[in-house]
Amino acid sequence: MSGGRAQAWGERARHELTARGHRAGGARDAVIDGLAAHDGCCTAGELADRLRAEGRGVGTASVYRALSVLQEAGLLRVLELGEGERRYELVHADGEHHHHIVCDGCGRTLPFHDDALERAIGAAADRSAWAVIGHDIVLHATCPRCAAG
Amino acid sequence: MSGGRAQAWGERARHELTARGHRAGGARDAVIDGLAAHDGCCTAGELADRLRAEGRGVGTASVYRALSVLQEAGLLRVLELGEGERRYELVHADGEHHHHIVCDGCGRTLPFHDDALERAIGAAADRSAWAVIGHDIVLHATCPRCAAG
DNA sequence: GTTCCTGCAAAGGTTTTGCACCATA
DNA sequence: TATGGTGCAAAACCTTTGCAGGAAC
């Protein structure tokens, strides 16, 4: 559905993990495919459910271990949107990234990108005494559906 | 330690809660004092530990219930810094707010404020189709101590 | 006296860990 | 064959909920 972009991510993920000395394995393969098949952000539980529904059920621990390895390799970004669980999002090779508007009413999210905002963040990071690696921005909002009541 | 500012917050909190029809109570009082005494952001667990150390032990449920009421009243801001638990921070009457730089190594945080960044966020929010209420920004970094060690 | 607040205990949920077994290189 | 990946189960963790008793209004 999300085309070659996500597929490219999958190939890169497998390559990068091999380069880091990780062996191949069925569970991790399923996790990578599951993430690539759904180029949005999902939780560990959602991912496990989806794999189970496809008949590629994977142990809970393996899901978390795979996510952890992918995150350490810089292939996943972790989001905390205030729902009490973490969401994982693909990091693409082109470095493009975006942020999220979250509806405080229903929890739906809307990705957005803003160059001026990125520049402002970069400038703020440069002024900091600590070595800034990255950033997360969450806009809290009311979506049109919730606003309508 | 944090002077009259936090004390003023405590008084305002009690006043606001009364105005909202809440009754006074020992546990909630202790939570308000505990928050005001430590004008940074803390987790529910840290707050409970601190109160227990002061001999003002409060049931776990009461801590969470008090935090929830204070949040609904707009007296607390909730932060998710990626540690798996929530941090609560005082919202002062002057509306001043700041964001956080988090050390991914040790978890220490550094508050910062940047007017240009606030303007950029405001502009991005104005362009959004959803009605934006607020925002959270987290800069991930390596603190000097972790960079050295 | 009614209503809300409180504490304890138990449940809920997500994430991590221990361990034996199996697949990979 | 040695090492790391996998699954199951259990644990750890934060947070919420149910309920009986007590305090505030």
Side-chain angles (χ1 to χ4, degrees), chain B residues 22-23 25 27-28 59 62 65:
Chain B
H22 290 288
R23 293 183 184 170
R28 191 140 63 202
S62 297
R65 281 189 280 242

Side-chain angles (χ1 to χ4, degrees), chain B residues 50-121:
Chain B
R50 202 184 314 149
L51 291 174
R52 208 173 301 119
E54 292 173 2
R56 298 184 71 184
V58 163
T60 311
S62 297
V63 172
Y64 281 102
R65 281 189 280 242
L67 291 171
S68 174
V69 167
L70 288 165
Q71 182 194 347
E72 280 165 24
L75 292 155
L76 285 181
R77 198 155 74 101
V78 183
L79 305 174
E80 305 253 351
L81 265 29
E83 314 155 294
E85 57 191 328
R86 296 197 244 271
R87 296 196 160 270
Y88 298 85
E89 188 167 61
L90 307 195
V91 172
H92 289 291
D94 56 21
E96 181 203 289
H97 84 204
H98 59 259
H99 300 291
H100 299 85
I101 308 179
V102 184
C103 176
D104 286 347
C106 63
R108 282 196 303 154
T109 66
L110 187 68
F112 77 96
H113 178 84
D114 188 299
D115 280 320
L117 182 52
E118 294 297 324
R119 283 193 296 273
I121 278 272

Side-chain angles (χ1 to χ4, degrees), chain A residues 1-145:
Chain A
M1 289 306 166
S2 41
R5 201 173 146 75
Q7 190 183 338
W9 178 88
E11 287 173 19
R12 187 168 62 97
R14 274 182 258 270
H15 192 272
E16 177 66 27
L17 261 43
T18 302
R20 288 180 166 243
H22 290 286
R23 293 183 185 172
R28 191 140 63 201
D29 261 7
V31 167
I32 290 175
D33 289 343
L35 286 165
H38 186 83
D39 188 10
C41 51
C42 65
T43 67
E46 288 166 3
L47 180 57
D49 288 346
R50 199 184 315 148
L51 292 174
R52 209 173 299 121
E54 292 173 1
R56 299 185 70 184
V58 163
T60 312
S62 297
V63 173
Y64 282 101
R65 281 189 279 240
L67 291 172
S68 173
V69 167
L70 289 164
Q71 181 193 346
E72 280 166 23
L75 292 155
L76 286 181
R77 199 155 73 101
V78 183
L79 305 174
E80 304 253 350
L81 265 30
E83 314 155 294
E85 58 190 327
R86 296 196 245 270
R87 304 198 85 92
Y88 298 84
E89 188 167 61
L90 308 195
V91 172
H92 290 291
D94 56 20
E96 183 202 289
H97 81 203
H98 59 260
H99 299 290
H100 298 86
I101 308 180
V102 183
C103 176
D104 286 347
C106 63
R108 282 198 303 154
T109 64
L110 188 68
F112 78 96
H113 178 85
D114 189 297
D115 281 321
L117 183 52
E118 294 297 324
R119 283 192 297 272
I121 279 272
D126 288 344
R127 278 194 286 277
S128 161
W130 293 9
V132 175
I133 309 164
H135 59 266
D136 291 316
I137 302 177
V138 178
L139 264 47
H140 292 274
T142 305
C143 73
R145 194 190 296 169

